[in-house]
Amino acid sequence: MIKVKDIEGGTLAERAGFKPGDRILSINGERVDDLIDFQVYSSDEKLDFEVERCDEIYEVSVRRAAGEALGFDFEEMRLRKCNNKCVFC
């Protein structure tokens, strides 16, 4: 899961009701462990988020226009490492 630090005003995240402190658990049923997961799973047009806020879990569904910024700023976190040795890691 990743924790929302801030939301940019006027963005899809703000319009969908996200708040600082929300924890994004999954997108479209795929568990989100880090920013790489978030980038991969949030690229679809229709996004179903599973979110934890104040120990309650709820779902948020949004439609994203092509190229539309979501508007999330996340808390600093360590990226997980795998054994693939990709050039971007």
Side-chain angles (χ1 to χ4, degrees):
M1 92 182 100
I2 57 176
K3 189 172 182 181
V4 176
K5 178 179 173 183
D6 199 12
I7 303 290
E8 292 179 46
T11 61
L12 184 62
E14 182 184 56
R15 293 191 310 272
F18 284 94
K19 305 282 185 203
D22 284 352
R23 295 177 186 270
I24 297 175
L25 306 175
S26 69
I27 301 173
N28 294 341
E30 299 290 341
R31 182 180 158 142
V32 176
D33 290 318
D34 59 24
L35 296 176
I36 294 173
D37 287 345
F38 180 84
Q39 292 297 328
V40 170
Y41 301 136
S42 68
S43 62
D44 292 337
E45 178 183 314
K46 184 175 183 319
L47 302 171
D48 295 318
F49 292 90
E50 183 180 43
V51 180
E52 180 182 5
R53 181 186 295 161
C54 300
D55 296 324
E56 291 186 33
I57 296 175
Y58 64 98
E59 292 187 14
V60 176
S61 294
V62 298
R63 287 212 172 270
R64 179 183 191 186
E68 181 179 15
L70 290 171
F72 291 106
D73 184 21
F74 295 108
E75 290 191 355
E76 294 294 321
M77 63 184 305
R78 283 181 21 150
L79 291 176
R80 63 188 159 97
K81 294 191 183 227
C82 65
N83 294 322
N84 292 338
K85 300 189 183 352
C86 303
V87 295
F88 54 82
C89 286

